[in-house]
Amino acid sequence: MIVFLLVGLSLSAQHHALSNKLRGENKVAALESILSDPKFIGKDSITTWKEINSLYERAKEEKVPEVEVASDLLAAEFYANRNDQLNPKTDFYFARALSTAKRIGSKELQLIAFIREGYHYFGHRELEMAIPYFLQAGQLVSQVDRESVPQFGKHINQMSSFYGYIGNYPGAIELLQEALPYAKDGSGLHINMVNSMGVFSEKQQLFEQAVVHFQRALGIAQRSQDSLWMGIIFGNLAKIEEHKGNAYKAIRLLEENVRLSVKYNETTDAMRAMLNIADVLIDVGKWTEAEAYLIESEKYLQHKPSFLQTKTQLAKLRFEIAHFKGDQSAELSYLTNYVRLDDSLRTRERYDELQRAYWQWQSDEFQRSIEAAKEERESALLLELTFGLFLTAVLVIIILLLNRSKNKLKIKSAILEKEKFASALKQKVLAEELETVTISWKEAEEKSHENTTLIADLQSNLKKLGRENDSIKVRSVEALDEMLKEPIMTDDRWAKFKLTFDQVFPDYLSKKRKRYPRLTEGDQRLLALMKLKYSNMGMASLLGISLDGVKKAKQRLKKKMEEPTDTQ
């Protein structure tokens, strides 16, 4: 979306060409193209401002906040370059860019916003104002996806410059080493970063390490045919040679530095190289040549705070030449100017030292606040974790108890089912047994009925025979009477019957006995047969009594059951 945003930003052919070029690029590449596009980086041009403003308006219209951030950063730097001093418009655009980056949750854009604003204040040597931004940037460096940070190498190089200025040379070198893979091989940024590692090594008196970095940077510059950087690196190598005592070699390197710097209009670097040549020439007693370089260097002086150190060095060298010449009047004039400038420089250096100390204090405080916030987060996390574990444990216990209860219910249900099945099976078996007994009794009843009929026939026949023979009649009648008197339901049969009956109809007879204590064994037999719905004839056959006897027995039983029972 960012890529297509650029389509229509301007009616110019160049703008359309840029849009077409970015169609296939990813978001980071598109943002890098915007931030490095020359049309947005003019120093003081109405056209430049219109381009930046058009970019912002289009970003708002297309709802692409990443481009809003980029356009605000460009607007902030536009006003910074235009005014060449701190101003409210620059502050406004930096603040809006950072606010948008935070709103969309982009740590990568927050990082470059912090670095750019911090570098803006650092450029004006407002270290106290720059420190908070570099502190926050330092925290974000380890958190961002570096591949997603537009111009990562350039921004970290700016950050390392600040670190170097406040004296944190190891930190500056570490930042450069981390950012070096993100600088295009052979580019000016690539050379600058390697050269800076040499400068910071030299500041720590690590001269051999510094030479390694300088030589590496020089090799890259020569391979890329970057004469400007070659000259700058010659100047840095000259300082090492001067430290070693190789004055003339240092002078030759510095002269090459001057030549190339002048050629490419790097006047500030040329001026510093001329002053360094003059300083070396004075040391070897070549005052006239030294004075010529001083005169030439004065052409490039500017009346800006950043040139105070250069002015102080120039006044000191002027004083030394006047002293060696014996020109007391000029010597006094240059000495007075030097003392004045040196006092100002020392005042600024003391201020810078205070600022560096302030940076260290702020850095320590910031780190402590981060650690305190981390500890607080860890404590809160631990509390949440403990509470979570507690809730989890409670939940697990509840689940276990529920499962246990469910398991108990399942077991109990299974047992009940098993018991129910066993009971049903038992009832079935008992019912079958009772049915067998009943069938057996019915068969006995039928047999008894047959016997009765047979006996009746026999009696009839015996009566006839008895007329002929009285003794036979008497014996037969007696035997038949005994047979008829013998009940079919004997005690043994009743005992077996009762056992089966009690299992089929639990507590039926016992409850009757408990309720009607006067019930006899015969009454219970009658109750059992009545429960089984036997007919009077069937009961008569089983009990070995007459039908009339059954009826009377039932009447007696009814009377017993209707009589009130004694209570104690």
Side-chain angles (χ1 to χ4, degrees), residues 96-116:
R96 193 168 73 174
L98 185 58
S99 175
T100 304
K102 288 180 177 179
R103 175 171 57 82
I104 64 176
S106 174
K107 289 185 177 181
E108 289 75 20
L109 292 180
Q110 288 179 54
L111 174 65
I112 66 173
F114 280 133
I115 292 175
R116 285 184 176 233

Side-chain angles (χ1 to χ4, degrees), residues 303-490:
H303 298 289
K304 292 182 177 181
S306 57
F307 282 79
L308 178 59
Q309 185 175 1
T310 304
K311 289 179 179 179
T312 305
Q313 184 183 9
L314 177 62
K316 177 177 176 293
L317 295 175
R318 283 285 194 186
F319 160 71
E320 289 179 354
I321 290 173
H323 175 73
F324 285 119
K325 283 184 172 182
D327 188 345
Q328 293 182 355
S329 175
E331 179 183 356
L332 181 60
S333 175
Y334 288 131
L335 178 61
T336 302
N337 190 36
Y338 167 68
V339 170
R340 179 180 60 80
L341 291 171
D342 188 59
D343 284 344
S344 298
L345 181 62
R346 290 181 182 278
T347 299
R348 196 179 78 177
E349 287 176 346
R350 284 193 294 271
Y351 175 73
D352 288 348
E353 284 298 323
L354 288 173
Q355 293 282 55
R356 292 186 183 101
Y358 177 72
W359 155 264
Q360 192 59 50
W361 177 74
Q362 283 283 76
S363 180
D364 292 342
E365 282 294 306
F366 188 73
Q367 192 60 38
R368 278 193 289 271
S369 68
I370 291 174
E371 291 174 358
K374 183 180 178 181
E375 289 178 1
E376 186 176 348
R377 286 195 302 271
E378 288 176 350
S379 298
L381 182 62
L382 181 60
L383 183 61
E384 290 177 5
L385 183 60
T386 303
F387 185 67
L389 289 173
F390 172 74
L391 287 180
T392 303
V394 170
L395 184 61
V396 168
I397 292 171
I398 292 172
I399 291 172
L400 289 174
L401 290 174
L402 288 174
N403 287 337
R404 185 179 178 185
S405 178
K406 288 180 180 178
N407 289 336
K408 282 184 175 180
L409 288 174
K410 287 180 180 179
I411 293 170
K412 187 175 181 181
S413 178
I415 292 172
L416 288 173
E417 287 292 328
K418 185 178 178 181
E419 290 177 350
K420 185 177 179 181
F421 178 75
S423 177
L425 183 61
K426 186 177 179 182
Q427 289 288 344
K428 183 178 179 182
V429 172
L430 292 173
E432 288 175 353
E433 289 180 1
L434 183 60
E435 185 178 358
T436 302
V437 172
T438 304
I439 292 170
S440 175
W441 286 351
K442 286 182 178 179
E443 289 175 352
E445 180 184 357
E446 291 173 358
K447 187 175 181 181
S448 174
H449 182 68
E450 290 175 0
N451 289 340
T452 303
T453 304
L454 179 60
I455 291 168
D457 291 341
L458 288 174
Q459 281 179 332
S460 178
N461 293 330
L462 285 173
K463 284 180 181 179
K464 294 178 181 180
L465 291 172
R467 295 190 190 102
E468 300 172 357
N469 191 336
D470 290 335
S471 62
I472 295 173
K473 177 184 176 183
V474 172
R475 287 194 300 270
S476 298
V477 170
E478 289 176 355
L480 286 173
D481 288 340
E482 288 300 323
M483 184 184 297
L484 290 172
K485 289 178 182 177
E486 182 180 350
I488 293 173
M489 185 177 284
T490 62

Side-chain angles (χ1 to χ4, degrees), residues 28-42:
V28 178
L31 289 173
E32 288 179 342
S33 295
I34 292 171
L35 292 171
S36 60
D37 194 330
K39 72 168 62 65
F40 301 128
I41 311 177

Side-chain angles (χ1 to χ4, degrees), residues 242-255:
E242 184 182 0
H243 176 77
K244 291 180 179 178
N246 300 325
Y248 289 102
K249 188 173 181 179
I251 290 172
R252 288 195 299 272
L253 290 168
L254 286 168
E255 286 175 341

Side-chain angles (χ1 to χ4, degrees), residues 179-194 216-217 219-221 223-224 226:
L180 200 58
Y182 299 90
K184 183 180 178 181
D185 184 48
S187 64
L189 177 62
H190 187 200
I191 300 168
N192 183 15
M193 293 170 77
V194 178
R216 181 186 173 193
I220 298 170
R223 187 176 72 247
S224 303
D226 193 327

